[in-house]
Amino acid sequence: MTRDTNREIKTPNMTQCLVAGGFAGMAVDTALYPLDTIKTRLQARGGFIASGGFRGIYSGLSSAIIGSAPGASMFFLTYEQIKTSLSDLPSQQQPFVHMFAASAGEVAACLVRVPTEVVKQRLQTRHHNTLSAAVRGTYAAEGLLGFYRGYLTQVVREIPFTCIQFPIYEYLKLAYARRVGRPIRSYEAAVCGSVAGGVAAAVTTPLDVVKTRVMLSTKGVGQTPEYSGIVSTLSRIAREEGPRALFSGIVPRTVWISIGGFVFLGSYEKVKSVLLETGLLSNR
């Protein structure tokens, strides 16, 4: 018991966070990419069939892989460091610590994730046929800022998501550990991550629809994009397509993130525990 307890309270260093987070990001994005494509096409303005249907469901995978490892690494590095630095606060304040740490992690991760997400979604919906064409087309139409189209929308979507997911995730881990009288194992943490992710995914689907519409909007010189702004896009979708359209893709999104939460957080906890137990990449 002493050995398990000591293992549980160890804190990963920066390198261990980067490696565990990068592995988790690659694992979840590669394994569940088809569900992400289906969700994106359901949310696209043209609809599922016009955006490609079930054809080419791995379109844009290369872009996702490029951004998944560094994005996840940035998230967990920020999350773990902030959570550890504020761990001395009273237990009743810890949910707010988790919210703040996760929110800061998403802001950092989106700096890496958004450009690859823009390219990925344009490939998923057949705006372009190849990765190089998507990069060139985006740059030609909008310059470097085009790769950050939807950055604010993505952050606004991710912060509510993480503020729901991570307090639930940390609470479930703590509650289960107390119930069984031992530190939680990685596969058990994975189940907690699945439940927390599914709840957060369903609640934040309207923001995900808005993010998808904004990212898929393009503009030429002297033109304005089809969708721009969070509130205006929300109201426009509700007005033109009905409130139900704001929940387009809720089923694949919830299933995808529930499974993704299992793979993502389970992989992270497993790799982190292996690194801590073996002392690999430790500061010595």
Side-chain angles (χ1 to χ4, degrees), residues 35-263:
L35 279 174
D36 180 45
T37 300
I38 292 170
K39 183 268 300 181
T40 298
R41 291 176 178 177
L42 284 168
Q43 293 176 346
R45 171 70 171 173
F48 180 69
I49 301 300
S51 298
F54 289 103
R55 291 178 288 109
I57 56 175
Y58 280 96
S59 298
L61 177 60
S62 55
S63 178
I65 290 176
I66 291 170
S68 60
S73 295
M74 285 294 292
F75 173 82
F76 279 114
L77 174 62
T78 306
Y79 179 74
E80 291 284 3
Q81 296 302 311
I82 292 179
K83 188 177 76 169
T84 301
S85 66
L86 299 177
S87 60
D88 291 336
L89 292 175
S91 58
Q92 62 268 27
Q93 295 182 19
Q94 286 305 306
F96 299 103
V97 170
H98 299 147
M99 289 182 186
F100 176 69
S103 298
E106 287 296 347
V107 171
C110 282
L111 291 171
V112 177
R113 189 182 300 152
V114 168
T116 57
E117 185 81 359
V118 169
V119 173
K120 179 198 75 173
Q121 291 197 332
R122 292 179 180 182
L123 286 168
Q124 286 176 324
T125 53
R126 303 293 187 171
H127 281 51
H128 303 281
N129 294 322
T130 65
L131 175 62
S132 59
V135 172
R136 288 196 305 268
T138 300
Y139 182 77
E142 304 174 71
L144 288 175
L145 289 179
F147 294 100
Y148 282 92
R149 169 160 296 282
Y151 175 81
L152 180 60
T153 308
Q154 174 107 346
V155 170
V156 169
R157 182 200 69 169
E158 295 294 355
I159 287 179
F161 179 88
T162 54
C163 283
I164 296 170
Q165 182 188 31
F166 275 86
I168 294 176
Y169 172 60
E170 297 286 359
Y171 170 79
L172 290 175
K173 287 200 302 177
L174 181 60
Y176 186 78
R178 287 174 174 170
R179 181 177 179 180
V180 298
R182 58 168 172 76
I184 194 168
R185 299 189 175 105
S186 57
Y187 73 89
E188 295 165 336
V191 174
C192 295
S194 178
V195 173
V199 173
V203 172
T204 59
T205 295
L207 290 173
D208 188 55
V209 173
V210 170
K211 185 269 300 183
T212 297
R213 296 290 181 92
V214 171
M215 282 189 170
L216 292 178
S217 295
T218 58
K219 67 175 183 177
V221 178
Q223 296 178 327
T224 57
E226 185 179 8
Y227 292 97
S228 180
I230 300 167
V231 176
S232 62
T233 301
L234 271 172
S235 60
R236 179 179 172 185
I237 294 172
R239 183 178 65 254
E240 296 181 357
E241 304 172 50
R244 187 174 179 178
L246 292 171
F247 289 90
S248 299
I250 187 172
V251 173
R253 172 172 163 79
T254 302
V255 171
W256 166 52
I257 293 182
S258 293
I259 301 173
F262 184 93
V263 176

Side-chain angles (χ1 to χ4, degrees), residues 266-280:
S267 298
Y268 175 74
E269 294 288 351
K270 180 63 178 179
V271 174
K272 183 178 75 171
S273 68
V274 169
L275 293 175
L276 289 173
E277 284 180 0
T278 60
L280 289 174

